[in-house]
Amino acid sequence: MQSAEDWLVESLRLYQDFHAFDLSGATRVLEWMGDKGVFVAGYELLTKNEILHLILPLRLSVKENQGLFPERDFKVCHGGISDTSVFDLKHVPDTRLLVTSGLPGCYLKVWQIAEDRDVIQATDTIAVHEKEGSLWSRMAVFSSMAPGILHGVRLSGLRIVDLESQKTSYSSGVSDGEELSSLQVLDADTFAFCGTSGRLGIVDIRQKWAPVENLGPNPESGGERWCAEVRDRGQGPGSCIASLASNGQLRLLDPRNLCHPVSSAQCPVSTPSPDPDLLRVTWAPRLDNCLAISGFDGTVQIYDVTSWDGQRSQVKPLFTHRGHIFLDETKMETAPLVTTHTWHPCKPRTLLSAASDASLHVWDWVDLQTAC
Amino acid sequence: MPELTGAGQDVGRSCILVSIAGKNVMLDCGMHMGYNDDRRFPDFSYITQSGRLTDFLDCVIISHFHLDHCGALPYFSEMVGYDGPIYMTHPTQAICPILLEDYRKIAVDKKGEANFFTSQMIKDCMKKVVAVHLHQTVQVDDELEIKAYYAGHVLGAAMFQIKVGSESVVYTGDYNMTPDRHLGAAWIDKCRPNLLITESTYATTIRDSKRCRERDFLKKVHETVERGGKVVAAGRLGMERMNLKVPIYFSTGLTEKANHYYKLFITWTNQKIRKTFVQRNMFEFKHIKAFDRAFADNPGPMVVFATPGMLHAGQSLQIFRKWAGNEKNMVIMPGYCVQGTVGHKILSGQRKLEMEGRQVLEVKMQVEYMSFSAHADAKGIMQLVGQAEPECVLLVHGEAKKMEFLRQKIEQEFRVNCYMPANGETVTLPTSPSIPVGISLGLLKREMAQGLLPEAKKPRLLHGTLIMKDSNFRLVSSEQALKDLGLAEHQLRFTCRVHLQDTRKEQETALRVYSHLKNTLKDHCVQHLPDGSVTVESILIQAAAHSEDPGTKVLLVSWTYQDEELGSFLTSLLKNGLPQTPS
């Protein structure tokens, strides 16, 4: 078993840059504000949790002469205290507002980032009409002149609430009880949803509920939980949806034909995922055909899906980030689990990842295949 | 009531004045590294407008050897004037004069400054120092005591508890809560001071792990040697495996001295490090050899760990001059460099340096900057507050607008008040001193005899007299107090006149009163005395004729202070008139 020090020496070759931090509480949230700020929030039940607005270390924003920018620490720009756990956080673009969702799941909270002080204050709540014991609302933001929050626990309870007036401007109006695992706004009029059973759909909010979707759960599926992300290119050609299951299956789909996946692969991960709620698949914003997955163990895996087609049983990740395993300071019995990850909006190979031991890593991996 | 001034929200110099239970203590005496003139020293006129500092201050405490905590000490003691005791730990006492002299040399000899302390002043100042051990209670006088706690941060750094009677303040100086290879984490017991003064410079940062800094350091070294360059680095790298295939040296001079000091003060490191020191001889780098100036001209890559890191003297400056002109080479500078040093200049971006003999040195080598200083971040501050359990917290060394969240966190989590004074601001904190009072046995016994035993959780009211004599408090019964003080007891009696319409004789009126009261006040002892007066308990009622109006009778109701309640009640009752009796 490699020691931490050995891994660090090897990391000189694997990473351009690597920073490790310890938060005071583990986070499941990594939400960007611009390209320099990121939000994290605690998810502990039955106790107060912190919401922090962190500014990335300066040296990561500087290309030349990083040495003279010694600032390698995250700065806490703003902080707030939540009485409940925070499982998801969304920043409302062009505003100083945040919306959080967690347990208990009967309401979402709206927060304001103060202008001249370093505090984040709770201002409002949005009631969630479905009252489900252990389930929490997924959210997505329709940003426009009057921002609206799309949220719901199941398809039946999906609605868009106008942030200012608190009026419901849209609701699905169906009795479908499919549990949601992700929501994503695609443009001013459409959003995509993914159900825990693997159902995918794209909805136009100008019409009565008639989503484009795949039909029913896959006959092969046997109780896995799914999550998905649409590559951010609107709905033109080349748009792609990546869908990930708790048994390690990764599917790529074309939104124009959701019933037949373009390709399907089995990722080499330890299965089943210990907490399928933490599954995450994300597309790289600055690399063609690259995506990252996490939620199975203490790693984040990156895949190049160019020329993936059909059924693939053996795929190899382009890169695996193992920092959370080797630098685990807590040395608890169970290895830490990566709770979330996100790509830097501008730097092509930079990611942030967080784990259950409250660690937060910022890493810029080296593509060994193309490195000369 | 502790009062504080100075070292508010200015990162630069520390100097805090605390007034506690009549004692005045100065905490640290730092210099601001950013100024070249008198602004670098604290404004000591804040302390006292008149009188000598020696009379006003009971003691001065220095937390550690960094110049922003002790840099103004010789100026303060020798030029402003203070002859009282200066407390610090043993390593601080050993290292302070070296740094002060170093700084003095640069300021005076290199920069030609006037109005600066001399070498002799440094020596005279250090003669006033009283060194203390960790966890040793030191009596400054018969009321003021101080105790030092381990602070981590740098060798010899301590947090101090200042105690007068039941009031206490803890000052942290600079500290860190994450142990590193050479120094453990700060620790304090649950001393529950009235006030905890903590530095908050890094309160709003989340620090990159030490391992990553070392990794970066190593990466830079690797990159440089891989392209054939030479590296001169300040400070030490804690990693054992550096994986370098090139020669590694340390330059003699201060490194040896530093090692020497580290060995002397090995008891300062934590248990774990003490063990590994024995096993691995950490301070004697086996694979690192001593540098000889001739090696500087050797071709090919190499790494030299040099001190002093600021490049202002000795071998490190020589090495730097030889390698500065080649862009393949690299210099790695430490945390901060004192103004006027070569290190400071190149960190400011200067690339053409004037050396002795008006020679100009062009710096083409890579300049890197590595900060290894250990300070507590927000998480660390919360940990320390949790350990000490203070009644109040005071944050110094930070910026007000950026500390409100931390303040909220501290106030919410620990339910204590948290303050952030600015430089020159005074904060006054009320404390509740505990005053012991002795209760006389007689009084206690009398209370117990009065009835039910006191319940453990219910307060029980008792009356007594508090006597203060010679700083002693005693609670005794009133009678005892009168006796002790030689005073006679006075009685207070109230008399009230109640007019009644009654044409009968006084004696009959009195009888009517007696019957009425006897019937009404069944719980009280009502008596008709032979002289015609009526008593209710100890209250006396006498009937008399009105001097002018024979149809009116006057009842005189008289009672003592103790019977006020019953007396008032009787009076109102009688004012309502007497019941008609059948004649």
Side-chain angles (χ1 to χ4, degrees), chain A residues 178-199:
Chain A
E178 168 85 23
E179 201 186 313
L180 290 166
S181 74
S182 51
L183 290 171
Q184 193 178 349
V185 165
L186 302 178
D187 60 38
D189 308 304
T190 39
F191 70 86
F193 68 80
C194 176
T196 54
S197 71
R199 266 174 75 183

Side-chain angles (χ1 to χ4, degrees), chain B residues 471-513:
Chain B
S471 307
N472 260 326
F473 291 81
R474 266 169 63 233
L475 189 68
V476 298
S477 65
S478 317
E479 297 82 7
Q480 182 65 38
L482 289 168
K483 204 167 120 189
D484 280 356
L485 297 167
L487 297 170
E489 188 174 349
H490 288 70
Q491 285 247 344
L492 207 62
R493 278 197 91 85
F494 297 98
T495 307
C496 193
R497 286 180 157 72
V498 179
H499 293 250
L500 288 176
Q501 294 290 35
D502 195 348
T503 50
R504 283 167 281 208
K505 296 211 188 98
E506 300 92 87
Q507 294 88 333
E508 284 184 41
T509 312
L511 194 57
R512 275 180 71 197
V513 168

Side-chain angles (χ1 to χ4, degrees), chain A residues 117-190:
Chain A
R117 297 141 63 214
D118 70 333
V119 287
I120 299 174
Q121 283 170 321
T123 54
D124 225 339
T125 56
I126 297 173
V128 168
H129 297 278
E130 313 149 283
K131 289 199 178 23
E132 305 248 7
S134 59
L135 301 178
W136 50 280
S137 286
R138 276 30 180 189
M139 304 186 291
V141 179
F142 273 96
S143 61
S144 57
M145 287 300 292
I149 309 297
L150 169 69
H151 67 274
V153 175
R154 297 181 190 278
L155 281 179
S156 50
L158 259 186
R159 61 195 70 229
I160 301 175
V161 169
D162 183 86
L163 202 52
E164 220 181 276
S165 67
Q166 289 253 359
K167 292 210 175 85
T168 304
S169 58
Y170 170 88
S171 68
S172 65
V174 292
S175 56
D176 194 328
E178 168 85 23
E179 201 186 313
L180 290 166
S181 74
S182 51
L183 290 171
Q184 193 178 349
V185 165
L186 302 178
D187 60 38
D189 308 304
T190 39

Side-chain angles (χ1 to χ4, degrees), chain A residues 2-12 17-22 72-73 323-331 357 361, chain B residues 178-181 207-219 237-241 272 280 370-372:
Chain A
Q2 226 184 359
S3 76
E5 211 156 87
D6 288 337
W7 183 82
L8 273 174
V9 171
E10 211 201 317
S11 77
L12 293 177
D17 249 327
F18 174 64
H19 298 257
F21 302 86
D22 274 312
R72 337 168 32 98
D73 305 323
H324 293 283
I325 303 174
F326 284 105
L327 295 186
D328 175 24
E329 297 283 328
T330 56
K331 310 248 181 300
D357 63 351
H361 291 180
Chain B
T178 43
D180 72 17
R181 279 173 217 274
R207 312 220 71 203
D208 186 9
S209 80
K210 189 141 205 237
R211 282 216 172 107
C212 287
R213 289 164 202 268
E214 289 176 344
R215 177 196 174 270
D216 240 22
F217 190 101
L218 194 55
K219 184 159 183 283
L237 192 63
M239 294 171 76
E240 290 159 34
R241 265 191 62 199
K272 182 172 145 206
R280 291 184 203 146
M370 281 277 121
S371 167
F372 278 100

Side-chain angles (χ1 to χ4, degrees), chain B residues 27-93:
Chain B
L27 302 169
D28 279 339
C29 191
M31 174 164 59
H32 198 307
M33 309 304 282
Y35 294 118
N36 280 344
D37 50 30
D38 282 350
R39 285 176 298 175
R40 67 173 134 223
F41 297 129
D43 186 353
F44 295 113
S45 64
Y46 266 116
I47 301 175
T48 172
Q49 296 296 339
S50 61
R52 301 178 342 111
L53 290 175
T54 312
D55 296 333
F56 183 80
L57 290 172
D58 292 279
C59 71
V60 173
I61 297 175
I62 301 293
S63 61
H64 63 289
F65 62 66
H66 275 155
L67 290 175
D68 58 340
H69 288 258
C70 72
L73 194 60
Y75 169 80
F76 168 73
S77 71
E78 306 311 304
M79 292 170 84
V80 177
Y82 170 76
D83 298 313
I86 301 171
Y87 291 96
M88 59 181 74
T89 60
H90 289 270
T92 310
Q93 182 189 35

